[in-house]
Amino acid sequence: MRASASGSARGGVPASVRESARAADGPVSAHGPAGAAAPAAAQGPARGGVPATARESARAAGDPVPAHGPAGAAAPPPAQESARAAGPAPAQEYARAAAPASTPLPEAEGPRDAITRLHAHGCWYPSAAPDGTEVAFICDRGGVPQLWAGPVDGEGIRLLDSSPDPVKEVSWSPDGRWIAYTTAPGGGEHSRVLCVRPDGTGRRLLAGADPDSSAYLGCWAHDGSAVAVTLAAPPTARAQGDGLWTARDGRATLLGTTTYAVGPGGTPATRPGGGLSAYLIDPDGLASPVLLATEPDAPTLRVCDLSHDGRFALLRRGPRGRREGVVRRTSDGATTFTLRVADGDQWIGRFSPDGRTLWLRSDADREYAALFAVALGADGTPRGRTVVAERADSGLELLAMAHDGRTAVLAWNVRGASELEVVETSPGHGAPDAAGPARPVPLPHEVVTRVAPAGTGRLLLALSGSQRRPGVWWAHEGVSLLRTPWSSRDEDAVPPGRPPVRPVLSRLAARDGLPLSGWYYRAPGRAPNEPAPCVIHLHGGPEDQERPVFDPLYHELLGRGLDVFAPDVRGSGGHGRSFVDADLGTGRFAALDDVADCAAHAVTAGPADPTRLAVMGRSYGGYLTFASLVWHPDLFRTGVAVCGMSDLLTFFAGTEPWIAESAAHKYGHPERDRELLRALSPMSRIDALRAPLLAVHGEHDTNVPPGESEQFVRAAREHGVPAELLVLRDEGHDFLRADNRRLFRRTAADWMERHLHPS
């Protein structure tokens, strides 16, 4: 693309930014946020701004190609040195993650033949090649979530990374040359971003090499020249310099700073020094990273989209319950538009191809998220805002745009299940673009977890349901969905002879009148009205939502003759903004009452045996389990708490800084609300504990450190209450390895069976 005086220069970096950097003797990144680069002439620069001849010579010799000359070149001018000597300005006294260096890794592709270690496996998180004929995805058929790729309609899939580190996200580049993905080394909470060629070669680490930090995957530039990555600064790191440059083996241009404060009242809730920085990284390693944004003490920051001309970036930032969608100009870092957006899926929106409309999934001033069209001026400022798709009693959960930018795919959350629609969009001629009539797409299973475009007229859907393992399905031009050959079949979900149980939606009212609901699973082989031992299972979040999907844990419990009631207590997602906020502050005491009310409902409507009730949950559900056993000590015969918080003050002291920032909004500030947090902590009522307890934790969990389980189990034993602790090796907050998941399920089911079945 040829740059004009006011337009984008080569690679999408605005000309004004390039000239400013040159005037300051600063290097300019050769690739930019999003601009499409024209094909290089015979002697002209290739992708990334490095002459093609130099690139090919270096590749032939196997040597890396420097983007901007020797390391340390282009020293800052005297004015910058003076600023550094004087120290950073108050608004810039925060840490920033250093620009990452691309690191080649040994080849790690696996066998071409599909591994069949697991009889029933899951496939999820699809990302398609530009032409839609192939797809990269995550699959656990080898016992751990790994990166696979293969044809949409064929069996010939291949393992692209055979390492044991679980894969969490996948994104195929728009030019088809790279597949970027996120892994969790050792199964813990630290994550890093890698990329690999579609044939399994060229594997390299893009960001996250520092074991004290983490890296998160963002979007690709539309020409495939760069991928956005967010890095978390180590909690003890301090900012260096004046905020204009970030040092590495070269320097990265900072296109904007922010003083956005996420702590309540502007006070950070965590240890000082943390922060998130979003970079654009050239996967070929030929250009220095470009720093898009830095958020001090931020809980989240993700680059969701870049305009095709490279002038604007769409960011998602802020703590849960207070997320924001932000449009930022890349030329000067100015924020031109901000709007509250819904929790849940991180991919909140996308720019139209001409950059005049921003499509956004938002619940601004609403109970439920809807599809917004925001008209943008040439400078990125809003010119109008319209709600183009909405529902009165359900929210927009997933938003995806086709590659042409003229087709939107909407997934609505309807009482926990999904309904899918496709709408065509059209230019609004000065007003926000409009959406045409919705066309429903029938679904073979209850829940859509991801939607991805896959070439002209083709969609990929990750589906899950109460009768199946997660799988990937595809549709072409509105034709019925077809299951990919490598996804697990419905009949493979469980061993023969014990089919999955389809749950029944059950509604109730809390003691204060708030409507609640949950899914009741009835153990097979029991008469309809025969009382049964029942496990009240509580999800995490607390903004997660109980969905009618196949859960191997529930299947294990049901096979032991135990019913399961899985409710959404106040604070859960999927029921409107007011319901999510109903547990804030002192409202959490009412959430603890909700657990007892749900147990009573299981008895009256289940029917559950009131003398054989248990409580169980993971993460926030683990906290509710600890709390329910001491708030309602005579209600439950036993409990299993998984990765739960037992003392909110020690949790704040030990968790990740960005998690603490979000938790401060939900639970209370660790300094100003210490008495509330102490009153809400299960450890403060340990004297009331009566029921035996099993606690389970991943050894590498830094979201909720293992000490939260350890201190509760130790205190229970000191009070003479039987308590055990199961620590799962090489796991973090989520249990991702098949052998550990089986051990967890069987141990928990053994515990429940021993304490709930009559002797």
Side-chain angles (χ1 to χ4, degrees):
M1 179 172 59
R2 186 168 299 165
S4 64
S6 59
S8 298
R10 179 180 297 114
V13 177
S16 58
V17 176
R18 294 168 57 90
E19 295 306 320
S20 298
R22 287 180 180 137
D25 285 340
V28 179
S29 172
H31 67 74
Q43 301 297 324
R47 184 189 310 271
V50 179
T53 53
R55 288 167 56 95
E56 296 307 319
S57 299
R59 284 182 178 145
D63 296 329
V65 183
H68 304 302
Q80 292 183 13
E81 293 297 341
S82 299
R84 288 193 176 114
Q92 296 167 338
E93 290 180 350
Y94 54 81
R96 181 169 64 247
S102 177
T103 306
L105 298 172
E107 305 299 341
E109 68 270 26
R112 296 301 183 186
D113 295 333
I115 296 174
T116 57
R117 186 181 308 163
L118 294 182
H119 179 66
H121 60 267
C123 298
W124 63 94
Y125 215 101
S127 182
D131 62 3
T133 59
E134 290 208 320
V135 58
F137 58 97
I138 301 173
C139 183
D140 63 357
R141 66 172 65 233
V144 65
Q146 292 175 303
L147 177 65
W148 292 76
V152 172
D153 53 1
E155 296 279 0
I157 61 174
R158 54 195 182 275
L159 179 61
L160 297 183
D161 189 339
S162 62
S163 67
D165 295 336
V167 176
K168 293 191 170 183
E169 291 183 302
V170 180
S171 183
W172 204 314
S173 67
D175 61 2
R177 300 170 58 244
W178 291 100
I179 299 172
Y181 58 108
T182 304
T183 66
E189 297 310 307
H190 164 70
S191 58
R192 59 183 188 171
V193 175
L194 301 90
C195 67
V196 68
R197 300 282 189 186
D199 62 359
T201 63
R203 190 174 71 109
R204 61 185 57 192
L205 174 64
L206 295 184
D210 184 348
D212 293 326
S213 183
S214 281
Y216 308 95
L217 187 61
C219 66
W220 283 92
H222 285 276
D223 66 351
S225 63
V227 63
V229 173
T230 296
L231 280 84
T236 57
R238 304 302 303 173
Q240 300 293 327
D242 63 357
L244 179 61
W245 304 106
T246 288
R248 187 176 59 77
D249 294 334
R251 300 183 186 273
T253 306
L254 173 61
L255 298 182
T257 61
T258 178
T259 57
Y260 178 70
V262 297
T267 303
T270 66
R271 305 177 295 282
L276 296 175
S277 304
Y279 289 89
L280 286 169
I281 300 177
D282 174 11
D284 291 302
L286 303 176
S288 296
V290 174
L291 181 55
L292 280 179
T294 291
E295 298 280 359
D297 304 301
T300 57
L301 177 66
R302 181 173 294 234
V303 184
C304 296
D305 195 27
L306 297 151
S307 62
H308 286 249
D309 60 11
R311 295 188 301 122
F312 306 113
L314 172 63
L315 309 176
R316 176 185 181 266
R317 71 181 186 188
R320 61 195 192 201
R322 292 187 295 160
R323 310 287 192 201
E324 292 180 337
V326 178
V327 175
R328 180 168 292 173
R329 278 199 305 262
T330 57
S331 60
D332 57 7
T335 295
T336 63
F337 175 73
T338 300
L339 187 68
R340 175 173 175 161
V341 295
D343 284 330
D345 187 62
Q346 302 196 53
W347 305 104
I348 57 173
R350 191 168 180 182
F351 295 103
S352 63
D354 60 7
R356 302 192 321 180
T357 299
L358 171 66
W359 298 99
L360 202 61
R361 182 180 64 86
S362 171
D363 62 353
D365 305 317
R366 307 175 58 81
E367 272 293 306
Y368 293 94
L371 177 61
F372 282 64
V374 182
L376 300 176
D379 59 353
T381 56
R383 295 291 187 265
R385 188 176 85 193
T386 305
V387 175
V388 296
E390 62 181 327
R391 293 192 178 187
D393 57 354
S394 57
L396 180 60
E397 185 173 36
L398 300 174
L399 168 64
M401 304 293 293
H403 289 310
D404 61 5
R406 294 302 178 195
T407 304
V409 185
L410 315 177
W412 301 91
N413 184 331
V414 183
R415 293 177 294 280
S418 299
E419 293 184 5
L420 197 70
E421 295 178 337
V422 176
V423 298
E424 303 300 323
T425 63
S426 57
H429 304 292
D433 286 9
R439 175 165 50 88
V441 178
L443 296 174
H445 296 285
E446 292 97 323
V447 177
V448 181
T449 59
R450 182 168 171 80
V451 181
T456 304
R458 179 177 286 187
L459 293 175
L460 287 173
L461 304 174
L463 297 180
S464 192
S466 60
Q467 306 293 105
R468 63 163 291 110
R469 296 274 185 168
V472 177
W473 295 61
W474 66 279
H476 189 271
E477 300 294 349
V479 178
S480 298
L481 298 182
L482 301 175
R483 182 181 62 85
T484 52
W486 28 266
S487 290
S488 188
R489 298 172 301 173
D490 291 358
E491 55 269 29
D492 293 337
V494 296
R498 189 151 57 91
V501 172
R502 187 181 295 275
V504 175
L505 182 64
S506 186
R507 300 177 183 275
L508 66 146
R511 63 190 63 182
D512 62 359
L514 184 69
L516 304 176
S517 64
W519 296 90
Y520 198 96
Y521 296 76
R522 183 67 166 162
R526 195 180 299 275
N529 296 319
E530 180 185 355
C534 182
V535 178
I536 309 299
H537 190 277
L538 305 164
H539 63 67
E543 304 91 342
D544 291 350
Q545 181 186 10
E546 193 65 35
R547 312 296 293 268
V549 298
F550 177 76
D551 189 323
L553 171 64
Y554 295 176
H555 186 71
E556 184 78 32
L557 295 171
L558 292 163
R560 308 292 186 97
L562 310 175
D563 286 5
V564 176
F565 183 45
D568 287 334
V569 300
R570 69 190 67 203
S572 303
H575 305 278
R577 172 56 55 186
S578 298
F579 194 87
V580 170
D581 290 343
D583 69 342
L584 296 182
T586 57
R588 199 154 314 281
F589 292 110
L592 297 176
D593 289 337
D594 288 349
V595 178
D597 294 340
C598 289
H601 180 76
V603 171
T604 58
D609 184 343
T611 67
R612 291 186 289 166
L613 295 176
V615 62
M616 180 179 182
R618 195 191 72 82
S619 191
Y620 177 72
Y623 159 78
L624 286 179
T625 298
F626 284 137
S628 297
L629 292 176
V630 296
W631 255 268
H632 312 292
D634 300 321
L635 182 58
F636 299 107
R637 182 175 286 192
T638 189
V640 177
V642 185
C643 300
M645 306 95 75
S646 62
D647 186 320
L648 293 178
L649 291 173
T650 58
F651 159 71
F652 270 107
T655 188
E656 302 282 3
W658 47 94
I659 293 176
E661 292 297 344
S662 283
H665 170 66
K666 292 298 294 184
Y667 307 134
H669 195 277
E671 296 300 327
R672 295 192 300 271
D673 301 316
R674 291 184 69 83
E675 292 307 313
L676 172 62
L677 295 178
R678 185 175 289 110
L680 286 167
S681 295
M683 285 293 293
S684 67
R685 301 172 63 100
I686 193 68
D687 291 346
L689 183 65
R690 302 287 184 271
L693 168 85
L694 171 67
V696 185
H697 228 108
E699 68 168 337
H700 299 314
D701 190 351
T702 56
N703 288 12
V704 179
E708 293 297 306
S709 288
E710 294 168 359
Q711 64 190 6
F712 197 88
V713 168
R714 183 169 53 249
R717 290 174 174 175
E718 291 172 353
H719 284 75
V721 178
E724 300 292 339
L725 174 61
L726 171 64
V727 176
L728 296 178
R729 305 302 178 190
D730 296 321
E731 297 287 6
H733 196 60
D734 297 310
F735 305 154
L736 301 175
R737 303 181 188 279
D739 53 350
N740 280 330
R741 295 199 303 267
R742 284 193 295 268
L743 174 61
F744 158 60
R745 292 195 302 266
R746 291 169 182 171
T747 303
D750 287 345
W751 181 274
M752 292 293 188
E753 190 174 22
R754 183 164 67 250
H755 288 90
L756 294 184
H757 278 306
S759 56

